[in-house]
Amino acid sequence: MSMHTLLQYNWSTMTPEFIILITALILSLADLWMPNDKNRRPLAWIAVVGVVLALIATAGLIPAKPVSILYDTFHLDSFSKAFKLLMLAGGMLCLLLALDYRPKEGLLHRGEFYYLLLCALLGAMIMASSGDLITMFVGLELLSVSSYILAGIRKTSAQANESALKYVINGGIATAITLFGMSYILGLTGTTNLKEMAAEVQKLADSNYQYLLALAFLMLLVGLSFKISSVPFHMWTPDVYQGAPTPVAAFLSVVSKTAGFVILLRLFIAIFAAAPAHGKDPSSLLLSMQNYIAVLAGLTMIIGNTVALRQRSVKRLFAYSSIAHAGYLLVGFAAMSWVMLDSIWFYLLAYVLMNVGAFAVIQRIADEADSDDISHFAGLYRRNPLLAVAMGIFLLSLAGIPGTAGFIGKLNIFLGALMTEPGHYVLATVMIATTVISYVYYFGVFVQIFFRPAGEAASVKLPVGLAITVVLCALGTLLFGIVPSLAYHVLAQFQHFGDFLQ
């Protein structure tokens, strides 16, 4: 490729990615040259500034028309811009958590902590804009490998080492299955470009080819189910969340999950919605596979919520809560209503705010007590009333109580499941039943905070980073719960949200 050809590309479409990449490089070089006894915490502020600049750059690209560069491998459309905003917002909040992360044994590799988070965020952003299987896989691996290292960055902790080992083994198997599914599609279509694949799969009229395509669909569903923590590919989640540093657990629960749903939507709807179903079924392959996705969604909601009832560790409890929320999101995908993209986007926005906010409170309590047992939340209302109220808001939103963003998110997905033809009434019923079950463990934490005597008399004070995170998340959770039209006004700026699907 000549220099002239390179200069012809509209590189401004990759401005947010370049900002994150340059910030990560600056941090890695600064960490390398700083003396060992020098405090690395200021590097976190540089990382936060970099993410904020990338967020501004992404917002500036909203009016831009859809454009593809690098032979259609990188695609900037409304879909990618909308989800990048969520990823960058989640990444910024997780970096604020990382700024004030102070485990009892200390954190030797604090510098690496910050720029590895940025590398993982960069991988997620690349996945959102991928127009080709190769760039999609590169983004997936950049996110995954960075996450494996982050999970085990507390080298002296046996629990962290165990979580990283389980994560990398499960992740390696899931990656292999995903690649196997991709290889089938490549073999059937002869290309790795998503648009070209969508055109080629429409020509696969032979039943043998359709069987192979269905097999590829199932393998990709299995491989990507690991990334979103859906049952039965969820077993790594509670162990990794408990052993990983709290900011990493928060990152995995919001940014990594968002990236998982982005790749799921882009791959499945761009390719399999165009593929003919087997036999005389006039629908597409994707629609013919709705029942498989619905079963996955139902099992994820049931198992995630019921197993959470038995947890004493708050981080494990939130891991199973994360699994349950993946089930709710899968309901939106299984229903495939005309509001699917909007409802999934809004739910992920609400989930970023309420979950990162809850993890900020968990981090403060767990760091102080050197344990994340639920008993340490006892009497928090007496030790710090404002922090207790904020945690109460997050718990109410996660439970889906009216007046919070979590309620609006659940309502959108529930209505989407009923609005389709035929309506997914069983799935909607399971969603309501499991939401009621979730009240038990969310209100279990609520009771500890407000109705149990304090185990310690000392008040709980929040450092700057955690205070900013809690305030932003609490205000956002209430604002989008009371005035959800604000979020939809933002979404309305993205013209032709689903154009890439056609």
Side-chain angles (χ1 to χ4, degrees), residues 413-469:
I413 294 220
F414 176 75
L415 292 176
L418 295 180
M419 284 162 54
T420 52
E421 279 293 335
H424 292 262
Y425 300 112
V426 174
L427 205 53
T429 304
V430 171
M431 185 177 178
I432 291 175
T434 52
T435 299
V436 172
I437 292 171
S438 74
Y439 293 168
V440 177
Y441 59 85
Y442 287 133
F443 285 109
V445 182
F446 199 88
V447 166
Q448 290 287 335
I449 292 171
F450 290 96
F451 303 108
R452 292 288 181 268
E456 298 176 22
S459 62
V460 177
K461 294 182 180 179
L462 278 185
V464 177
L466 291 182
I468 294 171
T469 304

Side-chain angles (χ1 to χ4, degrees), residues 301-318:
M301 290 186 289
I302 292 167
I303 293 175
N305 281 305
T306 52
V307 179
L309 297 172
R310 302 289 298 168
Q311 304 306 312
R312 290 288 305 173
S313 161
V314 177
K315 285 172 77 173
R316 288 185 77 88
L317 185 150
F318 270 78

Side-chain angles (χ1 to χ4, degrees), residues 18-28 43 46-51 53 115 118:
F18 283 134
I19 291 172
I20 297 296
L21 176 62
I22 291 167
T23 307
L25 287 172
I26 289 170
L27 291 182
S28 62
L43 295 180
I46 299 174
V48 170
V49 169
V51 175
L53 290 174
Y115 61 75
L118 288 179

Side-chain angles (χ1 to χ4, degrees), residues 173-216:
I173 295 168
T175 299
I177 296 170
T178 304
L179 269 180
F180 198 24
M182 287 180 174
S183 70
Y184 270 90
I185 308 174
L186 172 61
L188 290 167
T189 61
T191 179
T192 57
N193 184 273
L194 296 187
K195 281 186 179 178
E196 293 174 9
M197 280 182 169
E200 289 296 322
V201 293
Q202 295 180 48
K203 304 172 186 176
L204 300 177
D206 189 287
S207 61
N208 292 322
Y209 290 153
Q210 289 173 355
Y211 274 124
L212 288 175
L213 198 60
L215 185 61

Side-chain angles (χ1 to χ4, degrees), residues 31 35-40 101 103 105-113 153-156:
D31 180 55
N36 290 334
D37 58 347
K38 194 78 172 175
N39 186 5
R40 258 66 173 175
Y101 179 58
E105 77 273 13
L107 188 63
L108 182 62
H109 304 282
R110 187 172 285 276
E112 288 94 327
F113 194 35
I153 203 163
R154 292 163 56 204
K155 285 189 173 182
T156 56

Side-chain angles (χ1 to χ4, degrees), residues 249-395:
F251 184 88
L252 293 176
S253 73
V254 294
V255 179
S256 185
K257 192 181 293 293
T258 300
F261 275 98
V262 164
I263 195 173
L264 199 68
L265 290 167
R266 193 179 276 280
L267 256 184
F268 283 25
I269 302 178
I271 297 175
F272 296 109
H278 178 65
K280 296 180 180 180
D281 188 346
S283 66
S284 70
L285 175 63
L286 182 62
L287 290 174
S288 70
M289 292 287 187
Q290 270 182 303
N291 289 337
Y292 293 99
I293 302 170
V295 168
L296 209 64
L299 288 173
T300 303
M301 290 186 289
I302 292 167
I303 293 175
N305 281 305
T306 52
V307 179
L309 297 172
R310 302 289 298 168
Q311 304 306 312
R312 290 288 305 173
S313 161
V314 177
K315 285 172 77 173
R316 288 185 77 88
L317 185 150
F318 270 78
Y320 283 107
S321 163
S322 175
I323 293 164
H325 284 279
Y328 302 141
L329 285 158
L330 279 173
V331 171
F333 184 40
M336 294 182 195
S337 67
W338 61 277
V339 294
M340 176 182 67
L341 289 178
D342 304 66
S343 60
I344 288 177
W345 185 86
F346 186 92
Y347 197 99
L348 285 167
L349 169 65
Y351 190 66
V352 165
L353 293 169
M354 57 194 181
N355 217 50
V356 176
F359 269 110
V361 181
I362 292 168
Q363 176 175 309
R364 181 66 188 90
I365 302 300
D367 284 358
E368 184 183 75
D370 198 26
S371 167
D372 64 338
D373 190 88
I374 195 171
S375 61
H376 295 298
F377 285 80
L380 180 61
Y381 180 70
R382 292 174 179 81
R383 300 171 63 197
N384 189 326
L386 291 177
L387 186 62
V389 168
M391 187 62 173
I393 291 169
F394 302 138
L395 291 169

Side-chain angles (χ1 to χ4, degrees), residues 38 122 137 159 206 229 343 378:
K38 194 78 172 175
L122 179 61
F137 185 72
Q159 198 175 56
D206 189 287
S229 309
S343 60

